[in-house]
Amino acid sequence: DGGITQSPKYLFRKEGQNVTLSCEQNLNHDAMYWYRQDPGQGLRLIYYSQIVNDFQKGDIAEGYSVSREKKESFPLTVTSAQKNPTAFYLCASSIGGQQPQHFGDGTRLSIL
Amino acid sequence: GQQVMQIPQYQHVQEGEDFTTYCNSSTTLSNIQWYKQRPGGHPVFLIQLVKSGEVKKQKRLTFQFGEAKKNSSLHITATQTTDVGTYFCAGPGGNYQLIWGAGTKLIIKP
């Protein structure tokens, strides 16, 4: 079955620690996205990538970093510079920019 | 910048009542997409509307795209407990991304 896999499902971060969230897709989609969702809120775009080896900042990129070395993979690192990282992180992909997006199950990140 | 406004933020209904959520864009959209997010889950794509004045139905759900392609609505007839969740609209923004509405949460009164 084609889809998007995010791991881990739950993640805890200590003060001063960087953590990396994994996102893998086997849909052969060119575009991939990372969103942050706070409780009861909508989706805020962190980073997106239209093609391998290229990515752009979204609305709330500060304190986060990404890479896109393979078409299938778009990992997100939450750095220690992100002072309020507790949130639900969603990865999505689409055939191309602005096309319907398919989402992974998400990663819930909390601070220890 | 470009915005997509979605109202209401919440709607409480008795099971069997109807539900409607509205989206308004500050600019003309080439298409509008609707997603549903169940509690604790991830957004799931429902439908994309492309044509001016388009109306599409999925069982009890009716989606409309305005004549000016700046507004859209989702109407659910005779809500059921399985309809509970948050409904989001999204339209193309600049730089190949989507601009998302804030969502409307459908709550079924006990």
Side-chain angles (χ1 to χ4, degrees):
Chain A
D1 267 347
I4 300 178
T5 302
Q6 288 188 243
S7 63
K9 192 163 184 160
Y10 299 94
L11 186 58
F12 298 90
R13 195 191 88 171
K14 294 180 182 177
E15 290 282 345
Q17 186 182 41
N18 294 351
V19 292
T20 297
L21 284 60
S22 170
C23 178
E24 304 276 333
Q25 55 100 356
N26 60 4
L27 298 167
N28 199 31
H29 285 171
D30 285 318
M32 296 188 74
Y33 311 83
W34 274 105
Y35 293 94
R36 170 178 172 144
Q37 188 174 38
D38 292 289
Q41 302 298 310
L43 304 175
R44 291 190 290 168
L45 183 65
I46 305 172
Y47 269 98
Y48 62 102
S49 168
Q50 297 299 311
I51 198 167
V52 174
N53 292 321
D54 188 39
F55 49 82
Q56 287 79 38
K57 293 181 179 180
D59 300 319
I60 55 165
E62 186 173 348
Y64 301 96
S65 65
V66 294
S67 62
R68 186 88 187 274
E69 297 175 2
K70 298 187 297 181
K71 187 175 186 177
E72 304 79 19
S73 179
F74 191 40
L76 173 74
T77 296
V78 184
T79 74
S80 57
Q82 172 50 246
K83 296 307 179 188
N84 184 22
T86 297
F88 187 38
Y89 290 87
L90 288 158
C91 178
S93 71
S94 64
I95 291 173
Q98 302 177 343
Q99 295 302 307
Q101 296 182 5
H102 299 257
F103 286 80
D105 288 341
T107 293
R108 295 189 186 275
L109 175 61
S110 302
I111 293 186
L112 278 177
Chain B
Q2 183 182 358
Q3 290 187 328
V4 173
M5 307 298 292
Q6 189 173 357
I7 58 169
Q9 188 176 3
Y10 302 93
Q11 191 166 3
H12 294 79
V13 300
Q14 299 278 5
E15 189 173 2
E17 291 183 339
D18 292 356
F19 162 86
T20 305
T21 173
Y22 301 91
C23 272
N24 286 289
S25 170
S26 56
T27 61
T28 301
L29 300 170
S30 59
N31 70 76
I32 192 153
Q33 300 166 25
W34 285 93
Y35 295 76
K36 176 184 179 181
Q37 185 176 24
R38 293 180 185 271
H42 59 272
V44 174
F45 171 70
L46 295 176
I47 206 162
Q48 179 175 270
L49 305 175
V50 177
K51 299 178 183 176
S52 168
E54 188 169 15
V55 178
K56 286 190 175 180
K57 292 192 175 184
Q58 291 180 349
K59 297 183 181 178
R60 293 177 293 103
L61 277 62
T62 301
F63 304 85
Q64 294 189 6
F65 200 11
E67 294 291 339
K69 299 183 78 174
K70 295 180 73 174
N71 56 12
S72 182
S73 64
L74 159 58
H75 180 81
I76 303 177
T77 303
T79 55
Q80 300 175 358
T81 55
T82 54
D83 296 325
V84 163
T86 301
Y87 293 84
F88 292 98
C89 61
N95 298 324
Y96 304 104
Q97 59 179 287
L98 292 178
I99 306 297
W100 292 80
T104 296
K105 189 171 185 178
L106 169 57
I107 300 163
I108 303 278
K109 298 177 190 174

